[in-house]
Amino acid sequence: GVQVEYDEGKLTADAPHSPPTPIVRRPSKPKTYPQQVGYKWQIVWRNVIGFVVLHSITITGFYMILFGLVQIKTILFMCLVGMCSGLGITVGAHRLWAHRCYNARLPMRVLLAIFQTLAFQNHIYEWVRDHRVHHKFTDTDADPHNSARGFFFSHMGWLMVRKHPDVSGKGCVVDMKDLEADPVVMWQKKYYLWLVPLVTFLIPSYIPYWLWQERFWYSFVVVGVTRYMISLHFTWLVNSAAHIWGTKPYDKSITPTENPTVALLAFGEGWHNYHHAFPWDYKAAELGNYRLNLSTAFIDACARLGLAYNLKTANADLVEKRSRRTGDGTKRHHHEHHNH
Ligand code: ST9
Ligand code: ZN
Ligand code: ZN
């Protein structure tokens, strides 16, 4: 046999019957995003397997719901638990603890911590640290769910690989003293490993069994796991979809967008261009009403009860100026309303 060796496009052995074909080295499409040079992926198989198992159980859960294997009461209870866990993230972890958009009295903080534990998205302290780092270093290697690495990475891929060294390297400058001073946050952090199985899965699954004799394992699949995975995906859409699709009326230089679908699914957290422009606003949106913003309605209700106070919000004038200066022109300005 004739051995043909290619070396930088030159034929180095005889190949009598075929004309020497020059090797054209096409510049291959970079497989890495620009900043990734010199950084190696490290897949965390424990998490990959965990998510495969959870998604498989979720498919079973959809089957049980669609084919009437669980009672309507159980499905309604699943929605209630999902709503509470969602508010634990939006009203608690996000708008209270990560951004300090308002202050909350002890009973409200305890309730929000319980709700946040229902959501099993890491303990409040870790959730907030990752989220503050996301705002400070958006779309760079230091952003835990850097959307420059694509939809899948920012959606859930980031939870299945080791973090980029910049996340801790640069993230360590983020001040967490306020959370260290909150006994509710530190108590949840200390007992989180015990609280998760109990609060996220066992208690919510047990209630339908206890109160209306639902089969425990059916309840576990639907109210425990399926409810959990749906709320995870709704949350993750804020990091993926709302960093890709939508308008940018407040700041066109950043990836976060105004995404009504995500706003609906994530209780008002899809107005993400506004949120990145005014992260300290407790409404996380400009819209003056509760349109697609259950979280704002909840905070206002708590404020009326005296549980929440010092609610911070951007006034119309400030928003208008910012929008004119850095927006993409999709915001309807005040004078336009007057003209019509
Ligand atoms: C989940 C979270 O799903 C979802 C968050 C979404 C955020 C959404 C934001 C949008 C806002 C609104 C939401 C609306 C929601 C609506 C709901 C409606 C229904 N800074 O992490 P490690 C250092 S969780 C500074 O282990 P590895 C630190 O020293 C899902 N430093 O890194 C740390 O040590 P320690 C369930 C940082 O080894 C050390 O590095 N959970 C920072 O690379 C090691 O950290 C899971 O799936 C930082 N930001 O592992 C588990 N980060 O902690 C996921 C780290 O001791 N987690 N450091 O201080 C893991 O398994 C791992 O973290 C890993 C990375 C494998 C992902
Ligand atoms: Zn964001
Ligand atoms: Zn935020």
Side-chain angles (χ1 to χ4, degrees):
V2 181
Q3 267 201 331
V4 182
E5 274 183 358
Y6 297 97
D7 182 35
E8 299 293 339
K10 269 186 284 172
L11 233 45
T12 55
D14 285 344
H17 303 297
S18 53
T21 40
I23 295 172
V24 183
R25 290 194 177 216
R26 258 186 265 119
S28 59
K29 240 178 94 194
K31 287 189 190 66
T32 54
Y33 69 101
Q35 302 133 305
Q36 203 184 3
V37 180
Y39 155 71
K40 234 171 143 271
W41 293 81
Q42 253 181 286
I43 297 177
V44 177
W45 288 103
R46 182 200 65 182
N47 292 10
V48 177
I49 292 165
F51 283 128
V52 168
V53 169
L54 288 167
H55 280 91
S56 308
I57 300 176
T58 302
I59 292 168
T60 316
F62 277 117
Y63 180 91
M64 287 177 169
I65 293 165
L66 290 171
F67 292 94
L69 298 182
V70 289
Q71 302 170 45
I72 300 289
K73 277 184 214 162
T74 305
I75 296 170
L76 291 176
F77 184 68
M78 167 200 188
C79 296
L80 179 71
V81 175
M83 194 181 278
C84 293
S85 76
L87 291 172
I89 296 298
T90 61
V91 175
H94 193 216
R95 300 187 197 182
L96 173 65
W97 281 299
H99 293 297
R100 297 281 168 204
C101 302
Y102 65 96
N103 294 41
R105 300 205 186 283
L106 182 66
M108 183 174 176
R109 297 209 311 278
V110 171
L111 183 75
L112 290 174
I114 294 169
F115 284 1
Q116 198 274 349
T117 311
L118 272 175
F120 183 17
Q121 293 189 10
N122 301 332
H123 53 66
I124 297 163
Y125 187 91
E126 183 172 352
W127 199 103
V128 166
R129 189 174 60 184
D130 278 342
H131 193 68
R132 287 182 179 174
V133 172
H134 165 66
H135 274 267
K136 197 170 171 67
F137 303 104
T138 314
D139 294 333
T140 69
D141 279 331
D143 177 350
H145 31 85
N146 178 7
S147 77
R149 291 171 73 170
F151 181 95
F152 187 77
F153 180 84
S154 57
H155 192 73
M156 59 186 293
W158 68 281
L159 293 164
M160 294 184 268
V161 292
R162 300 291 304 279
K163 283 172 174 161
H164 190 285
D166 280 7
V167 174
S168 50
K170 292 188 178 165
C172 64
V173 302
V174 168
D175 189 1
M176 297 292 290
K177 283 197 201 71
D178 55 327
L179 292 212
E180 278 146 28
D182 187 335
V184 177
V185 171
M186 296 320 273
W187 192 88
Q188 190 224 30
K189 181 176 190 285
K190 189 169 172 195
Y191 295 107
Y192 195 63
L193 276 178
W194 297 97
L195 290 170
V196 161
L198 210 65
V199 177
T200 311
F201 297 111
L202 290 178
I203 295 173
S205 310
Y206 186 78
I207 289 173
Y209 164 79
W210 175 43
L211 291 182
W212 52 87
Q213 292 78 48
E214 186 60 86
R215 275 168 282 213
F216 178 80
W217 286 108
Y218 285 24
S219 180
F220 174 78
V221 167
V222 170
V223 180
V225 177
T226 304
R227 175 269 312 173
Y228 171 51
M229 294 312 286
I230 293 172
S231 66
L232 271 188
H233 278 286
F234 287 178
T235 305
W236 293 340
L237 284 171
V238 178
N239 297 334
S240 54
H243 271 259
I244 302 176
W245 301 298
T247 57
K248 301 176 181 180
Y250 309 100
D251 193 338
K252 62 170 185 274
S253 72
I254 56 178
T255 58
T257 61
E258 299 288 282
N259 188 313
T261 311
V262 177
L264 173 71
L265 299 176
F267 299 163
E269 302 286 13
W271 312 113
H272 209 49
N273 191 253
Y274 182 91
H275 174 61
H276 272 261
F278 303 101
W280 42 268
D281 189 322
Y282 85 98
K283 296 193 269 70
E286 183 187 7
L287 305 169
N289 52 33
Y290 298 148
R291 202 164 69 92
L292 307 185
N293 207 331
L294 181 68
S295 311
T296 301
F298 188 86
I299 297 171
D300 283 342
C302 291
R304 277 193 293 276
L305 294 171
L307 290 167
Y309 58 100
N310 194 15
L311 278 50
K312 302 186 191 79
T313 189
N315 70 43
D317 198 46
L318 176 68
V319 177
E320 189 75 17
K321 279 193 188 123
R322 174 69 187 268
S323 165
R324 285 183 191 284
R325 190 163 54 82
T326 58
D328 67 358
T330 56
K331 177 172 149 52
R332 284 168 34 134
H333 295 288
H334 283 303
H335 72 97
E336 289 163 14
H337 295 294
H338 295 313
N339 290 346
H340 296 305

